[in-house]
Amino acid sequence: MPEYLEVILRTAFAVVVLFFLTKLLGKRQVSQLSFFEYITGITVGSIAAYISLDTDKTWHLGMIALIVWVGLSLGIEFLQMKSKKARDFIDFKSTVLIKDGKILEDNMKKERLTTDELLEELRKKDVFKVADVEFAIMESDGAINVLLTRENQPLTPKHLGIKVAPEQATQAVIMDGEIMDEPLDTLNLSRGWLQGELEKLNLTAENVFLGQVDSYGELTVDLYTDNVQVQQPQDKPQLYALLKKCEADLELFSLSVENKDAKQMYGRCSEELQTLLHKLKPFIQN
């Protein structure tokens, strides 16, 4: 067999084996790598390259080494799952860098992190003032997570004691010109409804590169032909969806507040808005 053909076959074989072994190691190998996973990734890649290019008769030893490395990695991951001490020893323990707005210089030196690098990481989190940080910690994978002081945290409905209605995730119902039945089922919608929405836009599913439906039942599309302008159904349906959300929030407020007068007010407003929506529905959804 010619040497170039042997290299091609070995490379293809190494890629197939590496693919299945990486699938065996799991998703962590392609996400943020820990210290040991970083070493494993480099070593496994080097062994795979050796199997591809080494044309002598000992290439099978590289395959054995590859299997041993993967086996050891699985064993160590299992040990890490079972033992906190093993996790701390094999990887790294998390290190606190900022506490109560004060930089911990000793921990900075321990992690060999400069002030410029710390400030850069804070800026990536949209933090420009160290005094605004309640707590900053370097994780075992090197990422720095930040908790702002309470007065600098964004205001949320929870801070105001308000419960809001849950929202479903936006679902992709058309992808590469094909209708996706599972997302439609998740939204309790049918192909007939989707075909009707597409007809309003003078489109077929084959024209659509990506179509998404949000939790309010609004369809937005991206076409294969980018220079074609499509009038998206954003006016009346979006207004109806917004009013429905307001009605649901008012009903939820009436159930969550303790003040009797406020409970009655929210309930009355919810009923009035529900009646109004019933009257407007034939006009606002066309």
Side-chain angles (χ1 to χ4, degrees):
M1 181 186 296
E3 192 171 280
Y4 74 89
L5 184 58
E6 184 178 357
V7 170
I8 292 174
L9 292 176
R10 287 187 180 183
T11 301
F13 178 68
V15 168
V16 172
V17 172
L18 195 60
F19 172 78
F20 284 106
L21 291 178
T22 305
K23 290 277 285 185
L24 183 64
L25 287 174
K27 294 180 180 179
R28 286 183 56 181
Q29 285 293 322
V30 293
S31 63
Q32 286 281 358
L33 299 179
S34 67
F35 178 69
F36 183 77
E37 289 163 348
Y38 175 73
I39 295 174
T40 300
I42 293 175
T43 306
V44 168
S46 299
I47 295 174
Y50 165 78
I51 294 172
S52 300
L53 298 175
D54 189 22
T55 57
D56 62 20
K57 301 300 182 182
T58 62
W59 66 272
H60 62 281
L61 298 178
M63 186 62 63
I64 294 174
L66 187 62
I67 294 173
V68 170
W69 257 103
V70 171
L72 284 173
S73 298
L74 289 174
I76 289 175
E77 286 184 4
F78 179 78
L79 181 62
Q80 288 177 297
M81 290 173 60
K82 295 295 183 180
S83 172
K84 176 69 167 62
K85 291 182 179 179
R87 288 197 298 272
D88 293 340
F89 177 75
I90 294 171
D91 292 327
F92 293 106
K93 295 177 66 175
S94 300
T95 304
V96 178
L97 302 177
I98 301 175
K99 187 174 181 181
D100 299 329
K102 303 294 183 181
I103 297 176
L104 305 182
E105 291 83 0
D106 291 340
N107 288 351
M108 291 274 292
K109 292 177 182 178
K110 176 183 175 182
E111 297 297 341
R112 295 189 292 277
L113 189 71
T114 66
T115 306
D116 289 333
E117 290 171 335
L118 176 62
L119 293 176
E120 179 183 350
E121 291 299 319
L122 292 178
R123 289 194 294 270
K124 290 179 181 179
K125 305 289 185 181
D126 296 326
V127 179
F128 293 85
K129 189 176 179 181
V130 174
D132 293 341
V133 178
E134 181 79 27
F135 196 73
I137 186 170
M138 176 178 277
E139 307 292 356
S140 59
D141 61 1
I144 296 178
N145 291 317
V146 176
L147 175 68
L148 296 175
T149 55
R150 292 189 70 89
E151 61 267 21
N152 289 292
Q153 293 177 14
L155 191 64
T156 65
K158 185 177 181 180
H159 292 138
L160 301 175
I162 299 174
K163 294 182 180 180
V164 296
E167 269 192 46
Q168 291 183 339
T170 298
Q171 300 286 338
V173 296
I174 302 176
M175 194 175 293
D176 299 328
E178 298 288 337
I179 296 177
M180 315 293 289
D181 290 314
E182 185 175 343
L184 280 172
D185 292 339
T186 301
L187 295 169
N188 295 320
L189 299 174
S190 65
R191 280 187 172 232
W193 174 87
L194 182 59
Q195 296 289 358
E197 293 298 309
L198 291 172
E199 288 175 4
K200 293 179 184 179
L201 302 174
N202 296 319
L203 295 173
T204 62
E206 290 75 15
N207 303 133
V208 179
F209 177 68
L210 178 66
Q212 294 179 299
V213 177
D214 61 20
S215 58
Y216 304 117
E218 181 181 348
L219 173 68
T220 56
V221 297
D222 182 85
L223 305 182
Y224 280 104
T225 307
D226 292 333
N227 58 358
V228 175
Q229 298 295 323
V230 178
Q231 182 179 359
Q232 301 288 358
Q234 294 179 345
D235 297 329
K236 292 190 291 184
Q238 187 175 17
L239 175 60
Y240 182 80
L242 181 60
L243 291 173
K244 283 286 290 182
K245 184 177 185 302
C246 291
E247 187 271 328
D249 286 342
L250 286 170
E251 185 176 357
L252 189 61
F253 295 161
S254 69
L255 297 174
S256 60
V257 297
E258 297 181 358
N259 185 279
K260 185 176 180 180
D261 293 336
K263 185 184 292 288
Q264 292 177 349
M265 180 191 68
Y266 285 132
R268 185 175 64 256
C269 291
S270 175
E271 292 174 359
E272 292 176 357
L273 186 54
Q274 192 173 10
T275 303
L276 179 62
L277 283 170
H278 182 72
K279 293 179 180 179
L280 293 177
K281 186 175 181 179
F283 308 100
I284 204 169
Q285 285 194 320
N286 292 330

